[in-house]
Amino acid sequence: MEKIFKKPKGLNDKTMHYCPGCGHGIVHKMIAQTLEELDLLERTIFISPVGCAVFAYWYFNTDHIQAAHGRAPAVATGLKRANPELIIVSYQGDGDLASAGTAEIVHAAARGENISVIFINNAVYGMTGGQMAPTTLVGQKTSTSPFGRDPNFAGHPLKVCEMLATTKAPRYIERTSLDSVANLNKTKKAIKKSFDLQARGEGFSLVEILSPCPTNWGMSPPEAMDWIAETLSKEYPLGVFRDERADTEVRNDS
Amino acid sequence: MSEKVLMKGNEAVAESAIRAGCKLYFGYPITPQSEIPEYMSRKLPQIPGGAYIQAETEVSAINMVYGATSAGARAMTTSSSPGISLMMEGISYIACAEVPCVIVNVMRGGPGLGNISPEQADYFQVVKGGGHGNYRLVVLAPSSVQEMADLTYDAFDIADKYRMPVMLVAEGNLGQMMEPVKFKELKTEFTDKSEWALTGTRNHEPKIITSILLDPETMEKHIHKLYEKYALIEENEVRFEEYLTDDAEIIIIAYGLISRVARSVVDKLRDEGIRAGILRPISLWPFPNEAIKSKIEQAEFFFVCEMSMGQMVEDVRLAVNGAKPVHFFGRCGGVVPTPVEMFDNVKKYL
Amino acid sequence: MPKIEIEKNVCKGCGLCVRICPKNVIVISKGLNDKSYHPAEYIGEGCIGCKSCALTCPDSAIEVYK
Amino acid sequence: MIGNKRMTAICGAFGTGKTEISVNIALKLAAEQKKRVILVDLDIVNLYFRSRDKRDALAAKGIKVISGAKGFENADLPALAPEILEVFAQKDSLVIFDLGGSDYGGTVLSRFNEYLKNEKINLWLVVNPFRPFNEKNEDTVAMAEHISRRARLPVSGIIANPHLMNQTTDALIEQGLAQINRIQKYPLKFLTVMEDYYKPEMEKEFEIPIMVLSKNMIQPWE
């Protein structure tokens, strides 16, 4: 009998600190599997964000750097420009990427930095205790939107893939989810495509992953997955937002 | 061609950084230092492995430096006062994570947006902290274009040696003025960084660069380790220059460009038979405390001149510790003190 | 016959594998593991080796054999 | 000096001495007292050490200075003053344009192309081979070509300004001038020498007209 699914080499044996049913663990595993499959583990620098994944470096068998809130794409830029041989995995949550670090992510994308951004969207601030995030849905109750997000005061959710896809440089942008077998497989495929493109030097890619936060949503993990399928992915449609190589011809004015 | 070239202070910083092996520059334009990114944007793309990146903000610029130097490269960023304020978050992270880097602050008038005229009012910010937490920066203050070049070159070595950020501070007019300058040779040998730099895990166990230490005892231990390093720097890296202080009864203390105004004041005082001299701190941290203390006995008084409301003067007072009077004269808002008014102010205390 | 092995003391009992299993052959155990979670448990038969449970497991606690 | 041209624009790399030379040309023309002299500071690139700093001193010598919007001389705000247009209307005036440094100095001039195409104008490139980006003649020529395209005007001559400030020597001037002389593409109009380093025999020795510069931009400790 052959073992057809085992723990990837990119992860060590520590038990992750995440809550039961948290999406971070699922995505960490996919990243590690993919780096192993593409034989990129030894070249990878993983950038952990500020958020629940701040300690991601406890679990990966790769080099690691921890970035300030929102700054991971800037740190990624520096690393990659210093050593283009490195594979840069910039891992960010929605508070980190879509709030504190909007400037960094927009401009790293606009420059077409040859990095892979894995963006975990769970519509809430996890680490600090379930406060409203830029991605929180209208009407969603959080510890700082106790009556539900009111668009008259707090505006509407920020859609990162759609926003970044308005710039020309990004090579690949896709939104996936973790709520079904089909979507798990699509997520894994998207991560693999992103890393592969980076290894080929093709430019910036971002995979946004709709991910459960059962604790702060106040749901059991299975209920949280159902909520992604029924509610969250209605606000954030899944799909590919960019999959083409940008025009890179240099045109000098006189 | 001549071995010397005529350069602006800002250009000298840029050229000297390149000679020190800095291949990566990340920055954002701000007057009065924009000649540095302009120079870098012309030169670095021509160097193998070199890159000039115009960051979206100074916040990003310092974090790009954090990434680049973590990969073992020599990298720098430069800005002027308001931009340096934006970098404070990153500087604190870099100090804690023990990564080397060089930052240049070509200071302008503040607070707030202030103006583009020269000032020295960022002393507190860069010498006393600025960012959060327990850390120090090595701060170097040149007074000529030649020193802009020399100290930039040295700053990279100091940063690598101690694995920490080093900041060069210059007044706006020092960045803008032109003087002949001679550069050092292109540096080709560097400190071995393989112990800590992020290069992938081919030949070693996973490495981590971080500034998060959750456990209070671990954090305290780390801060103690940083301060042991700082004690070593206070022992080894103090820099200052003296001018006619051997027999001086009036010790003028001034740094940066204003020390050159002070020099002409000392000459004028000497012409009148008044024994005055200058002690010019070159490293603002580590501060030349011992040098100042050694002048207490001979001094009638100390006279501190700054282009601020008086910031370094507090460190002078700490060093003198009440043993002799410490007088202060400063102009701020971008006004450069003239030799005449400095002279008149010294004479008030005679 | 395909089968899965769940590492009992790594499992946090989140139930995502139970939710996703197309053959309903995984259950939450009544007993506790070392970490005081009720871990997931393979009922011992009916696995088709589809790997869905391993794919969804956040703690990489499941290995699949075929 | 300026020939039969009513207008002269001074361009070149950063810090080659454009402002010093512009001010000196304006002073010399004003001293001749033939026509009204207007100095236009079009340096929107560099905000320190610009000729507008000397506005009052120059006004006393009969030179009108037009620079950034009034009241904003110290601002990091490179706006052009609307009164610039009057130089094209006042046909009896002599005009010196002090352009910004580098390739971009020409751009601002191009903004006034609709007026300039009806004017007689010198576009002179100041070269100091001891400055970055002027160290090699091919870089200097490339810059001249770039400025010319930007300004939509031909570069009509070079002003040699070889110096190392207070470390200038006769030998250094000679060495710098010899290098500039090797530029074939543009005619060398004259050599500039700061008054402290000028010697009357230089004119003969170097076989070139010399404009002696008086120092107008000084440091507070000088």
Side-chain angles (χ1 to χ4, degrees), chain A residues 150-182:
Chain A
D150 179 347
N152 293 300
F153 295 100
H156 289 264
L158 199 68
K159 296 185 177 174
V160 171
C161 288
E162 288 84 341
M163 177 173 67
L164 295 185
T166 64
T167 66
K168 274 191 173 175
R171 169 65 182 81
Y172 169 55
I173 297 172
E174 180 166 2
R175 183 184 290 125
T176 66
S177 137
L178 302 176
D179 65 286
S180 67
V181 176

mmCIF file of all heavy atoms in Angstrom, chain A residues 150-182:
data_model
loop_
_atom_site.group_PDB
_atom_site.id
_atom_site.type_symbol
_atom_site.label_atom_id
_atom_site.label_comp_id
_atom_site.label_asym_id
_atom_site.label_seq_id
_atom_site.Cartn_x
_atom_site.Cartn_y
_atom_site.Cartn_z
ATOM 1 N N ASP A 150 -21.863 49.340 8.981
ATOM 2 C CA ASP A 150 -22.820 50.284 8.411
ATOM 3 C C ASP A 150 -22.119 51.028 7.276
ATOM 4 O O ASP A 150 -21.179 51.785 7.511
ATOM 5 C CB ASP A 150 -23.267 51.256 9.515
ATOM 6 C CG ASP A 150 -24.257 52.296 8.999
ATOM 7 O OD1 ASP A 150 -24.408 52.426 7.759
ATOM 8 O OD2 ASP A 150 -24.865 52.973 9.841
ATOM 9 N N PRO A 151 -22.569 50.833 6.051
ATOM 10 C CA PRO A 151 -21.852 51.456 4.923
ATOM 11 C C PRO A 151 -21.900 52.983 4.957
ATOM 12 O O PRO A 151 -21.068 53.647 4.341
ATOM 13 C CB PRO A 151 -22.580 50.912 3.687
ATOM 14 C CG PRO A 151 -23.909 50.464 4.173
ATOM 15 C CD PRO A 151 -23.737 50.045 5.606
ATOM 16 N N ASN A 152 -22.877 53.531 5.715
ATOM 17 C CA ASN A 152 -22.941 54.992 5.817
ATOM 18 C C ASN A 152 -21.781 55.559 6.621
ATOM 19 O O ASN A 152 -21.423 56.720 6.465
ATOM 20 C CB ASN A 152 -24.252 55.425 6.475
ATOM 21 C CG ASN A 152 -25.417 55.106 5.576
ATOM 22 O OD1 ASN A 152 -25.492 55.599 4.459
ATOM 23 N ND2 ASN A 152 -26.305 54.237 6.058
ATOM 24 N N PHE A 153 -21.251 54.740 7.519
ATOM 25 C CA PHE A 153 -20.155 55.224 8.358
ATOM 26 C C PHE A 153 -18.836 54.550 8.012
ATOM 27 O O PHE A 153 -17.785 55.167 8.091
ATOM 28 C CB PHE A 153 -20.465 54.974 9.841
ATOM 29 C CG PHE A 153 -21.640 55.751 10.328
ATOM 30 C CD1 PHE A 153 -22.881 55.158 10.453
ATOM 31 C CD2 PHE A 153 -21.506 57.097 10.647
ATOM 32 C CE1 PHE A 153 -23.966 55.887 10.875
ATOM 33 C CE2 PHE A 153 -22.588 57.828 11.075
ATOM 34 C CZ PHE A 153 -23.833 57.229 11.188
ATOM 35 N N ALA A 154 -18.924 53.275 7.673
ATOM 36 C CA ALA A 154 -17.696 52.492 7.527
ATOM 37 C C ALA A 154 -17.447 52.081 6.085
ATOM 38 O O ALA A 154 -16.479 51.369 5.805
ATOM 39 C CB ALA A 154 -17.758 51.261 8.419
ATOM 40 N N GLY A 155 -18.286 52.553 5.184
ATOM 41 C CA GLY A 155 -18.055 52.254 3.777
ATOM 42 C C GLY A 155 -18.286 50.790 3.436
ATOM 43 O O GLY A 155 -18.842 50.024 4.221
ATOM 44 N N HIS A 156 -17.828 50.431 2.258
ATOM 45 C CA HIS A 156 -18.055 49.081 1.746
ATOM 46 C C HIS A 156 -16.752 48.287 1.734
ATOM 47 O O HIS A 156 -15.670 48.866 1.776
ATOM 48 C CB HIS A 156 -18.648 49.168 0.331
ATOM 49 C CG HIS A 156 -20.061 49.655 0.327
ATOM 50 N ND1 HIS A 156 -21.131 48.805 0.288
ATOM 51 C CD2 HIS A 156 -20.569 50.911 0.407
ATOM 52 C CE1 HIS A 156 -22.258 49.516 0.319
ATOM 53 N NE2 HIS A 156 -21.943 50.793 0.386
ATOM 54 N N PRO A 157 -16.851 46.971 1.648
ATOM 55 C CA PRO A 157 -15.641 46.139 1.637
ATOM 56 C C PRO A 157 -14.707 46.478 0.475
ATOM 57 O O PRO A 157 -15.170 46.796 -0.630
ATOM 58 C CB PRO A 157 -16.189 44.717 1.470
ATOM 59 C CG PRO A 157 -17.601 44.776 1.872
ATOM 60 C CD PRO A 157 -18.081 46.153 1.598
ATOM 61 N N LEU A 158 -13.415 46.388 0.762
ATOM 62 C CA LEU A 158 -12.396 46.664 -0.246
ATOM 63 C C LEU A 158 -12.097 45.378 -1.023
ATOM 64 O O LEU A 158 -11.843 44.344 -0.425
ATOM 65 C CB LEU A 158 -11.129 47.141 0.468
ATOM 66 C CG LEU A 158 -10.096 47.884 -0.352
ATOM 67 C CD1 LEU A 158 -10.647 49.242 -0.787
ATOM 68 C CD2 LEU A 158 -8.839 48.092 0.479
ATOM 69 N N LYS A 159 -12.122 45.476 -2.333
ATOM 70 C CA LYS A 159 -11.891 44.275 -3.148
ATOM 71 C C LYS A 159 -10.520 44.348 -3.791
ATOM 72 O O LYS A 159 -10.301 45.060 -4.782
ATOM 73 C CB LYS A 159 -12.999 44.157 -4.192
ATOM 74 C CG LYS A 159 -14.330 43.951 -3.494
ATOM 75 C CD LYS A 159 -15.455 43.716 -4.437
ATOM 76 C CE LYS A 159 -16.709 43.450 -3.617
ATOM 77 N NZ LYS A 159 -17.892 43.341 -4.472
ATOM 78 N N VAL A 160 -9.622 43.593 -3.221
ATOM 79 C CA VAL A 160 -8.211 43.724 -3.571
ATOM 80 C C VAL A 160 -7.914 43.217 -4.985
ATOM 81 O O VAL A 160 -7.251 43.907 -5.764
ATOM 82 C CB VAL A 160 -7.335 43.005 -2.527
ATOM 83 C CG1 VAL A 160 -5.882 42.927 -2.991
ATOM 84 C CG2 VAL A 160 -7.416 43.734 -1.197
ATOM 85 N N CYS A 161 -8.410 42.036 -5.328
ATOM 86 C CA CYS A 161 -8.106 41.501 -6.672
ATOM 87 C C CYS A 161 -8.600 42.446 -7.761
ATOM 88 O O CYS A 161 -7.877 42.734 -8.720
ATOM 89 C CB CYS A 161 -8.764 40.135 -6.864
ATOM 90 S SG CYS A 161 -7.993 38.830 -5.917
ATOM 91 N N GLU A 162 -9.836 42.910 -7.584
ATOM 92 C CA GLU A 162 -10.428 43.800 -8.585
ATOM 93 C C GLU A 162 -9.603 45.083 -8.695
ATOM 94 O O GLU A 162 -9.349 45.586 -9.799
ATOM 95 C CB GLU A 162 -11.867 44.153 -8.192
ATOM 96 C CG GLU A 162 -12.868 43.013 -8.349
ATOM 97 C CD GLU A 162 -12.926 42.038 -7.176
ATOM 98 O OE1 GLU A 162 -11.962 41.991 -6.375
ATOM 99 O OE2 GLU A 162 -13.928 41.313 -7.052
ATOM 100 N N MET A 163 -9.177 45.600 -7.523
ATOM 101 C CA MET A 163 -8.415 46.852 -7.506
ATOM 102 C C MET A 163 -7.054 46.665 -8.194
ATOM 103 O O MET A 163 -6.676 47.449 -9.064
ATOM 104 C CB MET A 163 -8.225 47.296 -6.062
ATOM 105 C CG MET A 163 -7.385 48.540 -5.890
ATOM 106 S SD MET A 163 -7.383 49.116 -4.185
ATOM 107 C CE MET A 163 -6.500 47.828 -3.346
ATOM 108 N N LEU A 164 -6.351 45.601 -7.826
ATOM 109 C CA LEU A 164 -5.009 45.402 -8.386
ATOM 110 C C LEU A 164 -5.067 45.083 -9.873
ATOM 111 O O LEU A 164 -4.135 45.388 -10.619
ATOM 112 C CB LEU A 164 -4.272 44.294 -7.634
ATOM 113 C CG LEU A 164 -3.959 44.587 -6.165
ATOM 114 C CD1 LEU A 164 -3.114 43.455 -5.581
ATOM 115 C CD2 LEU A 164 -3.257 45.917 -5.978
ATOM 116 N N ALA A 165 -6.164 44.460 -10.285
ATOM 117 C CA ALA A 165 -6.270 44.085 -11.699
ATOM 118 C C ALA A 165 -6.427 45.314 -12.594
ATOM 119 O O ALA A 165 -6.321 45.209 -13.819
ATOM 120 C CB ALA A 165 -7.425 43.118 -11.909
ATOM 121 N N THR A 166 -6.648 46.487 -11.982
ATOM 122 C CA THR A 166 -6.710 47.709 -12.810
ATOM 123 C C THR A 166 -5.312 48.188 -13.190
ATOM 124 O O THR A 166 -5.170 49.046 -14.045
ATOM 125 C CB THR A 166 -7.439 48.857 -12.083
ATOM 126 O OG1 THR A 166 -6.679 49.213 -10.925
ATOM 127 C CG2 THR A 166 -8.848 48.469 -11.690
ATOM 128 N N THR A 167 -4.267 47.655 -12.512
ATOM 129 C CA THR A 167 -2.908 48.029 -12.909
ATOM 130 C C THR A 167 -2.426 47.029 -13.959
ATOM 131 O O THR A 167 -2.878 45.896 -14.001
ATOM 132 C CB THR A 167 -1.941 48.024 -11.704
ATOM 133 O OG1 THR A 167 -1.810 46.682 -11.224
ATOM 134 C CG2 THR A 167 -2.455 48.901 -10.587
ATOM 135 N N LYS A 168 -1.474 47.468 -14.779
ATOM 136 C CA LYS A 168 -1.091 46.636 -15.920
ATOM 137 C C LYS A 168 -0.029 45.590 -15.626
ATOM 138 O O LYS A 168 0.019 44.560 -16.285
ATOM 139 C CB LYS A 168 -0.573 47.536 -17.053
ATOM 140 C CG LYS A 168 -1.676 48.067 -17.926
ATOM 141 C CD LYS A 168 -1.090 48.702 -19.163
ATOM 142 C CE LYS A 168 -2.192 49.089 -20.148
ATOM 143 N NZ LYS A 168 -1.639 49.802 -21.290
ATOM 144 N N ALA A 169 0.838 45.874 -14.656
ATOM 145 C CA ALA A 169 2.023 45.031 -14.510
ATOM 146 C C ALA A 169 1.785 43.619 -13.974
ATOM 147 O O ALA A 169 2.508 42.701 -14.355
ATOM 148 C CB ALA A 169 3.063 45.747 -13.635
ATOM 149 N N PRO A 170 0.809 43.401 -13.059
ATOM 150 C CA PRO A 170 0.705 42.064 -12.478
ATOM 151 C C PRO A 170 0.548 40.971 -13.541
ATOM 152 O O PRO A 170 -0.156 41.141 -14.539
ATOM 153 C CB PRO A 170 -0.548 42.138 -11.608
ATOM 154 C CG PRO A 170 -0.658 43.572 -11.239
ATOM 155 C CD PRO A 170 -0.168 44.321 -12.442
ATOM 156 N N ARG A 171 1.222 39.840 -13.287
ATOM 157 C CA ARG A 171 1.193 38.724 -14.224
ATOM 158 C C ARG A 171 -0.038 37.856 -13.994
ATOM 159 O O ARG A 171 -0.619 37.312 -14.934
ATOM 160 C CB ARG A 171 2.490 37.916 -14.042
ATOM 161 C CG ARG A 171 2.549 36.571 -14.730
ATOM 162 C CD ARG A 171 2.517 36.743 -16.245
ATOM 163 N NE ARG A 171 2.520 35.456 -16.919
ATOM 164 C CZ ARG A 171 1.429 34.705 -17.095
ATOM 165 N NH1 ARG A 171 0.253 35.119 -16.665
ATOM 166 N NH2 ARG A 171 1.511 33.558 -17.731
ATOM 167 N N TYR A 172 -0.397 37.708 -12.699
ATOM 168 C CA TYR A 172 -1.439 36.719 -12.385
ATOM 169 C C TYR A 172 -2.126 37.091 -11.077
ATOM 170 O O TYR A 172 -1.482 37.307 -10.060
ATOM 171 C CB TYR A 172 -0.789 35.338 -12.290
ATOM 172 C CG TYR A 172 -1.648 34.235 -11.731
ATOM 173 C CD1 TYR A 172 -2.898 33.930 -12.290
ATOM 174 C CD2 TYR A 172 -1.214 33.475 -10.650
ATOM 175 C CE1 TYR A 172 -3.672 32.894 -11.770
ATOM 176 C CE2 TYR A 172 -1.977 32.450 -10.131
ATOM 177 C CZ TYR A 172 -3.215 32.165 -10.698
ATOM 178 O OH TYR A 172 -3.971 31.153 -10.189
ATOM 179 N N ILE A 173 -3.447 37.188 -11.113
ATOM 180 C CA ILE A 173 -4.240 37.484 -9.916
ATOM 181 C C ILE A 173 -5.457 36.572 -9.906
ATOM 182 O O ILE A 173 -6.213 36.522 -10.875
ATOM 183 C CB ILE A 173 -4.722 38.959 -9.908
ATOM 184 C CG1 ILE A 173 -3.522 39.919 -9.861
ATOM 185 C CG2 ILE A 173 -5.644 39.225 -8.714
ATOM 186 C CD1 ILE A 173 -3.899 41.379 -10.039
ATOM 187 N N GLU A 174 -5.633 35.814 -8.831
ATOM 188 C CA GLU A 174 -6.799 34.946 -8.738
ATOM 189 C C GLU A 174 -7.352 34.956 -7.321
ATOM 190 O O GLU A 174 -6.606 35.079 -6.357
ATOM 191 C CB GLU A 174 -6.448 33.492 -9.146
ATOM 192 C CG GLU A 174 -7.659 32.566 -9.064
ATOM 193 C CD GLU A 174 -7.485 31.209 -9.753
ATOM 194 O OE1 GLU A 174 -6.399 30.948 -10.288
ATOM 195 O OE2 GLU A 174 -8.461 30.430 -9.731
ATOM 196 N N ARG A 175 -8.688 34.849 -7.209
ATOM 197 C CA ARG A 175 -9.312 34.675 -5.891
ATOM 198 C C ARG A 175 -9.876 33.266 -5.807
ATOM 199 O O ARG A 175 -10.581 32.821 -6.712
ATOM 200 C CB ARG A 175 -10.407 35.699 -5.642
ATOM 201 C CG ARG A 175 -11.008 35.564 -4.234
ATOM 202 C CD ARG A 175 -12.178 36.504 -3.986
ATOM 203 N NE ARG A 175 -11.756 37.896 -3.905
ATOM 204 C CZ ARG A 175 -12.254 38.868 -4.657
ATOM 205 N NH1 ARG A 175 -13.141 38.603 -5.600
ATOM 206 N NH2 ARG A 175 -11.835 40.110 -4.505
ATOM 207 N N THR A 176 -9.525 32.570 -4.726
ATOM 208 C CA THR A 176 -10.003 31.206 -4.520
ATOM 209 C C THR A 176 -10.586 31.111 -3.112
ATOM 210 O O THR A 176 -10.647 32.103 -2.398
ATOM 211 C CB THR A 176 -8.855 30.188 -4.674
ATOM 212 O OG1 THR A 176 -7.941 30.412 -3.597
ATOM 213 C CG2 THR A 176 -8.134 30.326 -5.994
ATOM 214 N N SER A 177 -11.002 29.896 -2.764
ATOM 215 C CA SER A 177 -11.592 29.712 -1.440
ATOM 216 C C SER A 177 -11.258 28.311 -0.937
ATOM 217 O O SER A 177 -10.748 27.466 -1.679
ATOM 218 C CB SER A 177 -13.105 29.957 -1.548
ATOM 219 O OG SER A 177 -13.820 29.007 -0.833
ATOM 220 N N LEU A 178 -11.534 28.067 0.350
ATOM 221 C CA LEU A 178 -11.175 26.785 0.958
ATOM 222 C C LEU A 178 -12.411 25.952 1.289
ATOM 223 O O LEU A 178 -12.321 24.973 2.022
ATOM 224 C CB LEU A 178 -10.372 27.034 2.252
ATOM 225 C CG LEU A 178 -9.086 27.839 2.123
ATOM 226 C CD1 LEU A 178 -8.467 28.072 3.505
ATOM 227 C CD2 LEU A 178 -8.082 27.128 1.213
ATOM 228 N N ASP A 179 -13.594 26.333 0.760
ATOM 229 C CA ASP A 179 -14.834 25.768 1.300
ATOM 230 C C ASP A 179 -15.250 24.433 0.700
ATOM 231 O O ASP A 179 -16.155 23.788 1.207
ATOM 232 C CB ASP A 179 -15.971 26.777 1.130
ATOM 233 C CG ASP A 179 -16.278 27.030 -0.331
ATOM 234 O OD1 ASP A 179 -15.468 27.722 -0.994
ATOM 235 O OD2 ASP A 179 -17.308 26.525 -0.823
ATOM 236 N N SER A 180 -14.644 23.984 -0.396
ATOM 237 C CA SER A 180 -15.059 22.707 -1.001
ATOM 238 C C SER A 180 -13.844 21.997 -1.587
ATOM 239 O O SER A 180 -12.785 22.624 -1.745
ATOM 240 C CB SER A 180 -16.079 22.962 -2.116
ATOM 241 O OG SER A 180 -15.436 23.650 -3.185
ATOM 242 N N VAL A 181 -13.996 20.747 -1.912
ATOM 243 C CA VAL A 181 -12.886 20.007 -2.517
ATOM 244 C C VAL A 181 -12.431 20.695 -3.809
ATOM 245 O O VAL A 181 -11.238 20.905 -4.039
ATOM 246 C CB VAL A 181 -13.296 18.546 -2.813
ATOM 247 C CG1 VAL A 181 -12.176 17.811 -3.537
ATOM 248 C CG2 VAL A 181 -13.634 17.830 -1.515
ATOM 249 N N ALA A 182 -13.416 21.083 -4.620
ATOM 250 C CA ALA A 182 -13.066 21.735 -5.888
ATOM 251 C C ALA A 182 -12.277 23.012 -5.639
ATOM 252 O O ALA A 182 -11.254 23.279 -6.289
ATOM 253 C CB ALA A 182 -14.336 22.046 -6.678
#
